[in-house]
Amino acid sequence: MSDNEDTKFENAVKTMMFHVGENPEREGLLKTPQRVKKAYEFIFGGYKEDPREILKSALFTSSNDEMVLLKDIEFYSTCEHHLLPIIGRVHVAYIPDGKVVGLSKIPRVVNVFARRMQIQEQLTEQIADAIMDTIAPKGVAVVIQARHMCMEMRGVEKINSTTTSSALRGLFKKDEKTRSEFFSLINSPTGSRY
């Protein structure tokens, strides 16, 4: 951001604080506009990254044609309707077709899309499509389980309610046995951590 854009952003934060009944000139709030700017740059950093480039950077030839599952990937996102947090876990599986991707790249892709203004349904689809389009596996499955602070902190105020969404591609959508294996694995107890 340029200095002029920084000033506009910080003034917008001051306006918001004033609107909700605070004094932006109060000692504890003097640096809040700068802190919010820095926080937003991180929270919404996903707009500056290309998930497909991340995946392409670590593709490897492999004869593996069995399911690869990454379970319980924690994420934090922001509801595009209220700018409040979405907190949850993502389960991602794919069936390789000649290529595998470095394991750390899948959580990075989750973060790219999560660090944008989102709705959970869209987030689920974006992760699945990026993996399907870039790695070209035989199938991809993504399930997200999340809590939405826009439902808990305001509105209906339903504490600890969880929303589950899924996106299935390829074999996960076509083959009942593959789909059942995936859901069985993500719903099994994790057990001890290594």
Side-chain angles (χ1 to χ4, degrees):
M1 278 188 181
S2 70
D3 288 343
N4 188 35
E5 289 172 333
D6 287 349
T7 301
K8 284 181 183 178
F9 185 96
E10 290 168 15
N11 286 337
V13 173
K14 287 179 185 178
T15 299
M16 181 190 67
M17 289 191 296
F18 180 78
H19 180 74
V20 299
E22 261 298 349
N23 173 9
E25 302 305 318
R26 183 167 61 79
E27 179 184 15
L29 298 177
L30 287 176
K31 293 188 178 180
T32 296
Q34 295 94 336
R35 291 184 191 111
V36 171
K37 184 180 73 64
K38 284 184 178 182
Y40 271 37
E41 287 170 354
F42 178 79
I43 291 167
F44 298 114
Y47 290 111
K48 296 177 182 174
E49 294 186 86
D50 183 346
R52 286 159 180 84
E53 290 303 315
I54 291 168
L55 292 168
K56 286 180 192 175
S57 72
L59 280 178
F60 307 102
T61 302
S62 174
S63 61
N64 180 29
D65 63 355
E66 298 291 330
M67 187 185 308
V68 177
L69 169 65
L70 279 82
K71 184 176 167 180
D72 295 325
I73 303 167
E74 292 180 352
F75 79 94
Y76 303 90
S77 192
T78 304
C79 164
E80 69 182 33
H81 300 140
H82 303 97
L83 297 184
L84 290 171
I86 302 169
I87 303 164
R89 295 172 304 158
V90 182
H91 313 293
V92 179
Y94 72 99
I95 299 173
D97 190 12
K99 297 279 184 188
V100 294
V101 68
L103 292 177
S104 69
K105 303 308 177 191
I106 292 176
R108 285 194 59 204
V109 166
V110 168
N111 282 344
V112 166
F113 289 120
R115 290 182 181 153
R116 298 176 180 184
M117 294 180 193
Q118 282 290 9
I119 60 172
Q120 181 174 330
E121 300 88 340
Q122 176 177 289
L123 176 60
T124 312
E125 297 282 326
Q126 289 172 330
I127 295 165
D129 290 340
I131 294 168
M132 193 71 182
D133 296 345
T134 309
I135 302 173
K138 294 177 183 175
V140 174
V142 177
V143 168
I144 297 180
Q145 299 164 317
R147 293 174 57 198
H148 294 250
M149 295 306 109
C150 57
M151 281 183 34
E152 295 190 29
M153 294 172 66
R154 54 158 301 283
V156 296
E157 297 182 84
K158 295 302 176 194
I159 307 301
N160 293 318
S161 59
T162 302
T163 301
T164 301
S165 55
S166 66
L168 305 173
R169 305 287 185 267
L171 285 179
F172 289 98
K173 191 163 194 157
K174 296 175 191 169
D175 184 63
E176 173 63 33
K177 186 176 177 184
T178 302
R179 188 169 49 252
S180 293
E181 179 185 0
F182 169 69
F183 283 111
S184 174
L185 287 170
I186 67 170
N187 289 314
S188 65
T190 304
S192 61
R193 299 283 182 178
Y194 301 98

